PDB file of all heavy atoms in Angstrom:
ATOM      1  N   LEU M 268     -10.904  16.983 -19.114  1.00  0.00           N
ATOM      2  CA  LEU M 268      -9.569  17.246 -18.599  1.00  0.00           C
ATOM      3  C   LEU M 268      -9.208  18.707 -18.817  1.00  0.00           C
ATOM      4  O   LEU M 268      -9.678  19.352 -19.756  1.00  0.00           O
ATOM      5  CB  LEU M 268      -8.533  16.370 -19.305  1.00  0.00           C
ATOM      6  CG  LEU M 268      -8.551  14.872 -19.011  1.00  0.00           C
ATOM      7  CD1 LEU M 268      -7.542  14.148 -19.878  1.00  0.00           C
ATOM      8  CD2 LEU M 268      -8.280  14.602 -17.540  1.00  0.00           C
ATOM      9  N   THR M 269      -8.379  19.231 -17.934  1.00  0.00           N
ATOM     10  CA  THR M 269      -7.767  20.540 -18.097  1.00  0.00           C
ATOM     11  C   THR M 269      -6.320  20.325 -18.530  1.00  0.00           C
ATOM     12  O   THR M 269      -5.632  19.463 -17.982  1.00  0.00           O
ATOM     13  CB  THR M 269      -7.817  21.334 -16.786  1.00  0.00           C
ATOM     14  OG1 THR M 269      -9.174  21.617 -16.457  1.00  0.00           O
ATOM     15  CG2 THR M 269      -7.047  22.647 -16.909  1.00  0.00           C
ATOM     16  N   PHE M 270      -5.859  21.108 -19.513  1.00  0.00           N
ATOM     17  CA  PHE M 270      -4.515  20.935 -20.052  1.00  0.00           C
ATOM     18  C   PHE M 270      -3.655  22.152 -19.758  1.00  0.00           C
ATOM     19  O   PHE M 270      -4.149  23.270 -19.622  1.00  0.00           O
ATOM     20  CB  PHE M 270      -4.573  20.713 -21.572  1.00  0.00           C
ATOM     21  CG  PHE M 270      -5.339  19.476 -21.977  1.00  0.00           C
ATOM     22  CD1 PHE M 270      -6.691  19.555 -22.263  1.00  0.00           C
ATOM     23  CD2 PHE M 270      -4.698  18.255 -22.063  1.00  0.00           C
ATOM     24  CE1 PHE M 270      -7.411  18.430 -22.643  1.00  0.00           C
ATOM     25  CE2 PHE M 270      -5.405  17.122 -22.438  1.00  0.00           C
ATOM     26  CZ  PHE M 270      -6.757  17.206 -22.717  1.00  0.00           C
ATOM     27  N   GLN M 271      -2.358  21.914 -19.701  1.00  0.00           N
ATOM     28  CA  GLN M 271      -1.381  22.983 -19.634  1.00  0.00           C
ATOM     29  C   GLN M 271      -0.342  22.754 -20.721  1.00  0.00           C
ATOM     30  O   GLN M 271       0.111  21.626 -20.926  1.00  0.00           O
ATOM     31  CB  GLN M 271      -0.692  23.041 -18.264  1.00  0.00           C
ATOM     32  CG  GLN M 271      -1.516  23.722 -17.188  1.00  0.00           C
ATOM     33  CD  GLN M 271      -0.724  23.976 -15.921  1.00  0.00           C
ATOM     34  OE1 GLN M 271       0.316  23.366 -15.684  1.00  0.00           O
ATOM     35  NE2 GLN M 271      -1.210  24.895 -15.094  1.00  0.00           N
ATOM     36  N   ILE M 272       0.015  23.833 -21.430  1.00  0.00           N
ATOM     37  CA  ILE M 272       1.023  23.746 -22.479  1.00  0.00           C
ATOM     38  C   ILE M 272       2.121  24.762 -22.200  1.00  0.00           C
ATOM     39  O   ILE M 272       1.843  25.905 -21.834  1.00  0.00           O
ATOM     40  CB  ILE M 272       0.415  23.970 -23.883  1.00  0.00           C
ATOM     41  CG1 ILE M 272       1.521  23.927 -24.943  1.00  0.00           C
ATOM     42  CG2 ILE M 272      -0.389  25.249 -23.959  1.00  0.00           C
ATOM     43  CD1 ILE M 272       1.023  23.933 -26.362  1.00  0.00           C
ATOM     44  N   ALA M 273       3.352  24.316 -22.324  1.00  0.00           N
ATOM     45  CA  ALA M 273       4.512  25.190 -22.186  1.00  0.00           C
ATOM     46  C   ALA M 273       5.307  25.145 -23.483  1.00  0.00           C
ATOM     47  O   ALA M 273       5.530  24.060 -24.042  1.00  0.00           O
ATOM     48  CB  ALA M 273       5.386  24.750 -21.014  1.00  0.00           C
ATOM     49  N   GLN M 274       5.708  26.333 -23.994  1.00  0.00           N
ATOM     50  CA  GLN M 274       6.478  26.418 -25.228  1.00  0.00           C
ATOM     51  C   GLN M 274       7.924  26.762 -24.893  1.00  0.00           C
ATOM     52  O   GLN M 274       8.196  27.765 -24.249  1.00  0.00           O
ATOM     53  CB  GLN M 274       5.870  27.470 -26.156  1.00  0.00           C
ATOM     54  CG  GLN M 274       4.406  27.206 -26.480  1.00  0.00           C
ATOM     55  CD  GLN M 274       3.825  28.240 -27.426  1.00  0.00           C
ATOM     56  OE1 GLN M 274       4.257  28.369 -28.575  1.00  0.00           O
ATOM     57  NE2 GLN M 274       2.841  28.992 -26.936  1.00  0.00           N
ATOM     58  N   LEU M 275       8.837  25.911 -25.336  1.00  0.00           N
ATOM     59  CA  LEU M 275      10.244  26.039 -24.993  1.00  0.00           C
ATOM     60  C   LEU M 275      11.004  26.723 -26.124  1.00  0.00           C
ATOM     61  O   LEU M 275      10.869  26.341 -27.284  1.00  0.00           O
ATOM     62  CB  LEU M 275      10.864  24.662 -24.722  1.00  0.00           C
ATOM     63  CG  LEU M 275      10.543  23.993 -23.368  1.00  0.00           C
ATOM     64  CD1 LEU M 275       9.056  23.761 -23.177  1.00  0.00           C
ATOM     65  CD2 LEU M 275      11.317  22.693 -23.220  1.00  0.00           C
ATOM     66  N   LYS M 276      11.801  27.712 -25.759  1.00  0.00           N
ATOM     67  CA  LYS M 276      12.606  28.423 -26.743  1.00  0.00           C
ATOM     68  C   LYS M 276      13.855  27.643 -27.121  1.00  0.00           C
ATOM     69  O   LYS M 276      14.523  27.963 -28.098  1.00  0.00           O
ATOM     70  CB  LYS M 276      12.988  29.803 -26.215  1.00  0.00           C
ATOM     71  CG  LYS M 276      11.798  30.727 -26.001  1.00  0.00           C
ATOM     72  CD  LYS M 276      12.251  32.085 -25.486  1.00  0.00           C
ATOM     73  CE  LYS M 276      11.051  32.999 -25.258  1.00  0.00           C
ATOM     74  NZ  LYS M 276      11.475  34.327 -24.735  1.00  0.00           N
ATOM     75  N   ASP M 277      14.216  26.679 -26.316  1.00  0.00           N
ATOM     76  CA  ASP M 277      15.338  25.794 -26.652  1.00  0.00           C
ATOM     77  C   ASP M 277      14.925  24.375 -26.309  1.00  0.00           C
ATOM     78  O   ASP M 277      14.069  24.144 -25.460  1.00  0.00           O
ATOM     79  CB  ASP M 277      16.604  26.195 -25.889  1.00  0.00           C
ATOM     80  CG  ASP M 277      16.376  26.228 -24.386  1.00  0.00           C
ATOM     81  OD1 ASP M 277      16.207  25.161 -23.785  1.00  0.00           O
ATOM     82  OD2 ASP M 277      16.376  27.348 -23.825  1.00  0.00           O
ATOM     83  N   GLY M 278      15.537  23.424 -26.960  1.00  0.00           N
ATOM     84  CA  GLY M 278      15.157  22.021 -26.778  1.00  0.00           C
ATOM     85  C   GLY M 278      15.520  21.483 -25.415  1.00  0.00           C
ATOM     86  O   GLY M 278      14.770  20.739 -24.807  1.00  0.00           O
ATOM     87  N   CYS M 279      16.711  21.862 -24.924  1.00  0.00           N
ATOM     88  CA  CYS M 279      17.193  21.441 -23.600  1.00  0.00           C
ATOM     89  C   CYS M 279      17.024  19.932 -23.415  1.00  0.00           C
ATOM     90  O   CYS M 279      16.436  19.481 -22.440  1.00  0.00           O
ATOM     91  CB  CYS M 279      16.447  22.198 -22.507  1.00  0.00           C
ATOM     92  SG  CYS M 279      17.248  22.082 -20.877  1.00  0.00           S
ATOM     93  N   GLU M 280      17.547  19.158 -24.371  1.00  0.00           N
ATOM     94  CA  GLU M 280      17.390  17.708 -24.296  1.00  0.00           C
ATOM     95  C   GLU M 280      18.167  17.099 -23.134  1.00  0.00           C
ATOM     96  O   GLU M 280      17.865  16.008 -22.681  1.00  0.00           O
ATOM     97  CB  GLU M 280      17.828  17.078 -25.621  1.00  0.00           C
ATOM     98  CG  GLU M 280      16.910  17.440 -26.793  1.00  0.00           C
ATOM     99  CD  GLU M 280      17.371  16.791 -28.078  1.00  0.00           C
ATOM    100  OE1 GLU M 280      18.506  16.267 -28.091  1.00  0.00           O
ATOM    101  OE2 GLU M 280      16.604  16.793 -29.049  1.00  0.00           O
ATOM    102  N   SER M 281      19.192  17.822 -22.656  1.00  0.00           N
ATOM    103  CA  SER M 281      20.005  17.303 -21.558  1.00  0.00           C
ATOM    104  C   SER M 281      19.416  17.620 -20.189  1.00  0.00           C
ATOM    105  O   SER M 281      19.898  17.126 -19.174  1.00  0.00           O
ATOM    106  CB  SER M 281      21.427  17.875 -21.641  1.00  0.00           C
ATOM    107  OG  SER M 281      21.401  19.297 -21.532  1.00  0.00           O
ATOM    108  N   CYS M 282      18.349  18.459 -20.136  1.00  0.00           N
ATOM    109  CA  CYS M 282      17.735  18.829 -18.857  1.00  0.00           C
ATOM    110  C   CYS M 282      16.920  17.667 -18.306  1.00  0.00           C
ATOM    111  O   CYS M 282      16.291  16.920 -19.069  1.00  0.00           O
ATOM    112  CB  CYS M 282      16.832  20.048 -19.018  1.00  0.00           C
ATOM    113  SG  CYS M 282      17.696  21.526 -19.589  1.00  0.00           S
ATOM    114  N   ASP M 283      16.912  17.527 -16.987  1.00  0.00           N
ATOM    115  CA  ASP M 283      16.119  16.473 -16.352  1.00  0.00           C
ATOM    116  C   ASP M 283      14.630  16.752 -16.500  1.00  0.00           C
ATOM    117  O   ASP M 283      13.846  15.860 -16.824  1.00  0.00           O
ATOM    118  CB  ASP M 283      16.498  16.351 -14.872  1.00  0.00           C
ATOM    119  CG  ASP M 283      17.910  15.827 -14.679  1.00  0.00           C
ATOM    120  OD1 ASP M 283      18.394  15.119 -15.587  1.00  0.00           O
ATOM    121  OD2 ASP M 283      18.520  16.145 -13.647  1.00  0.00           O
ATOM    122  N   ASN M 284      14.223  17.994 -16.213  1.00  0.00           N
ATOM    123  CA  ASN M 284      12.814  18.380 -16.320  1.00  0.00           C
ATOM    124  C   ASN M 284      12.702  19.699 -17.072  1.00  0.00           C
ATOM    125  O   ASN M 284      12.452  20.757 -16.478  1.00  0.00           O
ATOM    126  CB  ASN M 284      12.187  18.513 -14.920  1.00  0.00           C
ATOM    127  CG  ASN M 284      12.169  17.203 -14.177  1.00  0.00           C
ATOM    128  OD1 ASN M 284      11.501  16.257 -14.589  1.00  0.00           O
ATOM    129  ND2 ASN M 284      12.896  17.136 -13.071  1.00  0.00           N
ATOM    130  N   PRO M 285      12.894  19.684 -18.392  1.00  0.00           N
ATOM    131  CA  PRO M 285      12.861  20.952 -19.142  1.00  0.00           C
ATOM    132  C   PRO M 285      11.509  21.628 -19.105  1.00  0.00           C
ATOM    133  O   PRO M 285      11.418  22.855 -19.239  1.00  0.00           O
ATOM    134  CB  PRO M 285      13.229  20.519 -20.567  1.00  0.00           C
ATOM    135  CG  PRO M 285      12.833  19.080 -20.639  1.00  0.00           C
ATOM    136  CD  PRO M 285      13.096  18.526 -19.263  1.00  0.00           C
ATOM    137  N   CYS M 286      10.430  20.882 -18.904  1.00  0.00           N
ATOM    138  CA  CYS M 286       9.088  21.464 -18.958  1.00  0.00           C
ATOM    139  C   CYS M 286       8.770  22.313 -17.728  1.00  0.00           C
ATOM    140  O   CYS M 286       7.859  23.150 -17.770  1.00  0.00           O
ATOM    141  CB  CYS M 286       8.044  20.358 -19.102  1.00  0.00           C
ATOM    142  SG  CYS M 286       8.307  19.288 -20.541  1.00  0.00           S
ATOM    143  N   ASN M 287       9.480  22.094 -16.629  1.00  0.00           N
ATOM    144  CA  ASN M 287       9.180  22.828 -15.400  1.00  0.00           C
ATOM    145  C   ASN M 287       9.793  24.214 -15.369  1.00  0.00           C
ATOM    146  O   ASN M 287       9.532  24.988 -14.447  1.00  0.00           O
ATOM    147  CB  ASN M 287       9.670  22.041 -14.187  1.00  0.00           C
ATOM    148  CG  ASN M 287       8.901  20.748 -13.991  1.00  0.00           C
ATOM    149  OD1 ASN M 287       7.728  20.656 -14.335  1.00  0.00           O
ATOM    150  ND2 ASN M 287       9.563  19.733 -13.441  1.00  0.00           N
ATOM    151  N   ASN M 288      10.613  24.539 -16.360  1.00  0.00           N
ATOM    152  CA  ASN M 288      11.332  25.810 -16.349  1.00  0.00           C
ATOM    153  C   ASN M 288      10.617  26.915 -17.122  1.00  0.00           C
ATOM    154  O   ASN M 288      11.158  27.996 -17.282  1.00  0.00           O
ATOM    155  CB  ASN M 288      12.736  25.607 -16.935  1.00  0.00           C
ATOM    156  CG  ASN M 288      13.536  24.586 -16.149  1.00  0.00           C
ATOM    157  OD1 ASN M 288      13.409  24.485 -14.941  1.00  0.00           O
ATOM    158  ND2 ASN M 288      14.368  23.817 -16.856  1.00  0.00           N
ATOM    159  N   TYR M 289       9.412  26.631 -17.606  1.00  0.00           N
ATOM    160  CA  TYR M 289       8.693  27.608 -18.430  1.00  0.00           C
ATOM    161  C   TYR M 289       7.274  27.815 -17.900  1.00  0.00           C
ATOM    162  O   TYR M 289       6.675  26.887 -17.332  1.00  0.00           O
ATOM    163  CB  TYR M 289       8.631  27.148 -19.888  1.00  0.00           C
ATOM    164  CG  TYR M 289       9.981  27.167 -20.585  1.00  0.00           C
ATOM    165  CD1 TYR M 289      10.866  26.114 -20.438  1.00  0.00           C
ATOM    166  CD2 TYR M 289      10.356  28.254 -21.364  1.00  0.00           C
ATOM    167  CE1 TYR M 289      12.102  26.127 -21.074  1.00  0.00           C
ATOM    168  CE2 TYR M 289      11.597  28.282 -22.007  1.00  0.00           C
ATOM    169  CZ  TYR M 289      12.465  27.210 -21.848  1.00  0.00           C
ATOM    170  OH  TYR M 289      13.683  27.233 -22.472  1.00  0.00           O
ATOM    171  N   GLN M 290       6.757  29.026 -18.115  1.00  0.00           N
ATOM    172  CA  GLN M 290       5.391  29.329 -17.711  1.00  0.00           C
ATOM    173  C   GLN M 290       4.410  28.610 -18.634  1.00  0.00           C
ATOM    174  O   GLN M 290       4.572  28.597 -19.849  1.00  0.00           O
ATOM    175  CB  GLN M 290       5.151  30.830 -17.756  1.00  0.00           C
ATOM    176  CG  GLN M 290       3.776  31.246 -17.227  1.00  0.00           C
ATOM    177  CD  GLN M 290       3.633  32.757 -17.170  1.00  0.00           C
ATOM    178  OE1 GLN M 290       4.517  33.490 -17.584  1.00  0.00           O
ATOM    179  NE2 GLN M 290       2.501  33.218 -16.663  1.00  0.00           N
ATOM    180  N   ALA M 291       3.378  27.999 -18.041  1.00  0.00           N
ATOM    181  CA  ALA M 291       2.434  27.188 -18.818  1.00  0.00           C
ATOM    182  C   ALA M 291       1.113  27.914 -18.991  1.00  0.00           C
ATOM    183  O   ALA M 291       0.660  28.660 -18.116  1.00  0.00           O
ATOM    184  CB  ALA M 291       2.210  25.848 -18.134  1.00  0.00           C
ATOM    185  N   LEU M 292       0.474  27.662 -20.122  1.00  0.00           N
ATOM    186  CA  LEU M 292      -0.844  28.206 -20.434  1.00  0.00           C
ATOM    187  C   LEU M 292      -1.885  27.124 -20.174  1.00  0.00           C
ATOM    188  O   LEU M 292      -1.725  25.985 -20.618  1.00  0.00           O
ATOM    189  CB  LEU M 292      -0.897  28.645 -21.900  1.00  0.00           C
ATOM    190  CG  LEU M 292      -2.243  29.163 -22.426  1.00  0.00           C
ATOM    191  CD1 LEU M 292      -2.614  30.470 -21.739  1.00  0.00           C
ATOM    192  CD2 LEU M 292      -2.174  29.349 -23.946  1.00  0.00           C
ATOM    193  N   THR M 293      -2.966  27.464 -19.463  1.00  0.00           N
ATOM    194  CA  THR M 293      -4.015  26.507 -19.121  1.00  0.00           C
ATOM    195  C   THR M 293      -5.149  26.572 -20.129  1.00  0.00           C
ATOM    196  O   THR M 293      -5.637  27.658 -20.460  1.00  0.00           O
ATOM    197  CB  THR M 293      -4.565  26.782 -17.707  1.00  0.00           C
ATOM    198  OG1 THR M 293      -3.495  26.691 -16.763  1.00  0.00           O
ATOM    199  CG2 THR M 293      -5.625  25.752 -17.333  1.00  0.00           C
ATOM    200  N   LEU M 294      -5.580  25.406 -20.626  1.00  0.00           N
ATOM    201  CA  LEU M 294      -6.631  25.319 -21.635  1.00  0.00           C
ATOM    202  C   LEU M 294      -7.628  24.239 -21.253  1.00  0.00           C
ATOM    203  O   LEU M 294      -7.303  23.313 -20.493  1.00  0.00           O
ATOM    204  CB  LEU M 294      -6.021  24.987 -23.009  1.00  0.00           C
ATOM    205  CG  LEU M 294      -4.977  25.971 -23.554  1.00  0.00           C
ATOM    206  CD1 LEU M 294      -4.263  25.364 -24.749  1.00  0.00           C
ATOM    207  CD2 LEU M 294      -5.639  27.284 -23.928  1.00  0.00           C
ATOM    208  N   HIS M 295      -8.836  24.333 -21.808  1.00  0.00           N
ATOM    209  CA  HIS M 295      -9.889  23.351 -21.551  1.00  0.00           C
ATOM    210  C   HIS M 295     -10.406  22.805 -22.877  1.00  0.00           C
ATOM    211  O   HIS M 295     -10.637  23.575 -23.829  1.00  0.00           O
ATOM    212  CB  HIS M 295     -11.035  23.975 -20.756  1.00  0.00           C
ATOM    213  CG  HIS M 295     -10.615  24.604 -19.461  1.00  0.00           C
ATOM    214  ND1 HIS M 295     -10.452  23.886 -18.296  1.00  0.00           N
ATOM    215  CD2 HIS M 295     -10.294  25.893 -19.164  1.00  0.00           C
ATOM    216  CE1 HIS M 295     -10.062  24.705 -17.330  1.00  0.00           C
ATOM    217  NE2 HIS M 295      -9.953  25.938 -17.832  1.00  0.00           N
ATOM    218  N   SER M 296     -10.601  21.514 -22.941  1.00  0.00           N
ATOM    219  CA  SER M 296     -11.117  20.898 -24.155  1.00  0.00           C
ATOM    220  C   SER M 296     -11.718  19.539 -23.821  1.00  0.00           C
ATOM    221  O   SER M 296     -11.216  18.831 -22.933  1.00  0.00           O
ATOM    222  CB  SER M 296      -9.999  20.724 -25.189  1.00  0.00           C
ATOM    223  OG  SER M 296     -10.460  19.987 -26.308  1.00  0.00           O
ATOM    224  N   THR M 297     -12.779  19.178 -24.502  1.00  0.00           N
ATOM    225  CA  THR M 297     -13.413  17.866 -24.307  1.00  0.00           C
ATOM    226  C   THR M 297     -13.145  16.944 -25.492  1.00  0.00           C
ATOM    227  O   THR M 297     -13.826  15.934 -25.670  1.00  0.00           O
ATOM    228  CB  THR M 297     -14.935  18.020 -24.123  1.00  0.00           C
ATOM    229  OG1 THR M 297     -15.488  18.695 -25.267  1.00  0.00           O
ATOM    230  CG2 THR M 297     -15.244  18.790 -22.859  1.00  0.00           C
ATOM    231  N   ASP M 298     -12.143  17.296 -26.298  1.00  0.00           N
ATOM    232  CA  ASP M 298     -11.807  16.465 -27.462  1.00  0.00           C
ATOM    233  C   ASP M 298     -10.349  16.734 -27.830  1.00  0.00           C
ATOM    234  O   ASP M 298      -9.647  17.462 -27.131  1.00  0.00           O
ATOM    235  CB  ASP M 298     -12.731  16.803 -28.640  1.00  0.00           C
ATOM    236  CG  ASP M 298     -12.859  15.637 -29.617  1.00  0.00           C
ATOM    237  OD1 ASP M 298     -11.988  14.754 -29.561  1.00  0.00           O
ATOM    238  OD2 ASP M 298     -13.818  15.625 -30.411  1.00  0.00           O
TER     239      ASP M 298
END
Side-chain angles (χ1 to χ4, degrees):
L268 290 175
T269 295
F270 299 92
Q271 280 190 341
I272 178 172
Q274 303 181 63
L275 284 60
K276 295 180 181 179
D277 56 70
C279 195
E280 293 180 348
S281 61
C282 299
D283 292 334
N284 296 296
C286 304
N287 293 330
N288 301 325
Y289 291 83
Q290 185 175 4
L292 176 66
T293 301
L294 301 168
H295 304 276
S296 173
T297 57
D298 205 342

